[in-house]
Amino acid sequence: SPWPFLVSTASLFLTLGAVMFFHFFVQGLDLLYLGLISITILASFWWRDVIREGIFLKKHSELVMKSIRFAFILFIVSEAMLFFSFFWAFFHSSLAPSISIGSVWPPFGMEVFSPWEIPLLNTIILLSSGATITLAHLAIIKQDRQVVIDSLIATLLFAILFTVIQGYEYVNAPFSMSDGIYGSVFFMLTGFHGAHVIIGTIFIVVQFFRFINHHFNPQNHFGFEAAAWYWHFVDVVWLFLFLCVYLWGNWC
């Protein structure tokens, strides 16, 4: 298959473009967009082929499914390591604040969000979406088609609502990414999490239409399981974000 090599090349363009853009190279943004568009198109073709192999060609043996499951677990672990690095930066800065920010955390003079307003609301919304996608999974096993459809629609509505509220929070933030270490860490953590929410939403949309087209049954529905795993990972990351950044980080 040519897709792993092509997606890797597009990922390289994306990374180089991001680095160049952050260092104010003129062509950086163009390369960033090229990499992003290329990854989107190539990954779509790759996943299309995987779906065809499993659903129509029946080439997904038990051994192949085990390897796919293991590969997806490794993918989630790699995502966890990405967020671990951001949390490391947060705790490195907050547990031992430097003199340049007043030796306190949040930095002296920094106006921060109350954890009991928008952050708490988004926490309730995201945890509710985790409950509805779990309900959809159980309904697939019990072959209750209507419950699956209703639960997935509810999950998508929760996901979209979360993203809209997060965008509202960004627009009304009293600080920006350039406001020292607090702004940088806050927007890196919440921004990357928001990007994962958008990716997860697209993931669930794809599984919704696959379910509508009868691609799943109680024994074989790993595509849906993968989306559910990914969504629960997004939930867990947000819980850490709420507890560490919004709650403890704003009151410490």
Side-chain angles (χ1 to χ4, degrees):
S1 173
W3 306 126
F5 173 76
L6 294 175
V7 170
S8 299
T9 304
S11 301
L12 176 62
F13 289 156
L14 177 67
T15 306
L16 287 177
V19 172
M20 292 172 64
F21 174 70
F22 290 149
H23 288 82
F24 305 105
F25 282 86
V26 177
Q27 295 82 9
L29 190 59
D30 295 335
L31 192 59
L32 176 64
Y33 283 142
L34 175 63
L36 183 61
I37 294 172
S38 299
I39 287 177
T40 303
I41 295 173
L42 294 172
S44 299
F45 285 133
W46 188 0
W47 295 332
R48 177 206 61 185
D49 287 354
V50 171
I51 292 172
R52 285 177 175 176
E53 290 169 359
I55 300 299
F56 304 112
L57 302 180
K58 307 297 183 182
K59 290 187 175 181
H60 286 179
S61 63
E62 184 178 349
L63 180 61
V64 171
M65 289 307 303
K66 284 183 178 179
S67 67
I68 292 175
R69 288 175 183 272
F70 184 66
F72 197 80
I73 290 172
L74 289 180
F75 168 69
I76 292 180
V77 170
S78 70
E79 293 283 88
M81 292 299 102
L82 172 69
F83 281 100
F84 179 81
S85 66
F86 293 144
F87 277 107
W88 184 286
F90 170 77
F91 284 113
H92 175 78
S93 303
S94 60
L95 292 176
S98 65
I99 296 176
S100 62
I101 61 173
S103 298
V104 293
W105 190 268
F108 182 76
M110 178 71 70
E111 182 183 353
V112 298
F113 292 107
S114 168
W116 306 118
E117 296 175 358
I118 289 179
L120 179 60
L121 175 61
N122 261 351
T123 301
I124 295 172
I125 291 172
L126 206 56
L127 291 181
S128 299
S129 71
T132 53
I133 199 170
T134 300
L135 179 61
H137 188 198
L138 294 175
I140 288 178
I141 296 174
K142 294 181 179 180
Q143 301 187 56
D144 193 335
R145 186 173 178 81
Q146 190 58 48
V147 172
V148 176
I149 293 173
D150 294 342
S151 299
L152 285 179
I153 291 175
T155 302
L156 291 171
L157 291 176
F158 281 135
I160 294 170
L161 182 60
F162 176 92
T163 304
V164 170
I165 294 176
Q166 191 72 48
Y168 174 82
E169 182 184 59
Y170 274 19
V171 171
N172 293 277
F175 54 88
S176 67
M177 192 171 186
S178 60
D179 285 331
I181 183 62
Y182 185 90
S184 298
V185 171
F186 176 87
F187 281 104
M188 285 294 287
L189 272 168
T190 58
F192 266 92
H193 177 267
H196 282 71
V197 169
I198 293 172
I199 293 171
T201 303
I202 297 171
F203 202 171
I204 295 171
V205 168
V206 172
Q207 304 315 310
F208 176 79
F209 284 108
R210 289 190 65 195
F211 178 79
I212 293 297
N213 288 302
H214 302 278
H215 285 190
F216 301 136
N217 59 57
Q219 292 74 38
N220 298 303
H221 53 270
F222 178 69
F224 182 90
E225 281 184 312
W229 291 356
Y230 189 86
W231 197 251
H232 289 312
F233 168 74
V234 169
D235 284 349
V236 171
V237 171
W238 178 258
L239 278 178
F240 277 101
L241 259 171
F242 176 75
L243 294 174
C244 298
V245 177
Y246 286 104
L247 189 58
W248 179 84
N250 288 358
W251 286 9
C252 65

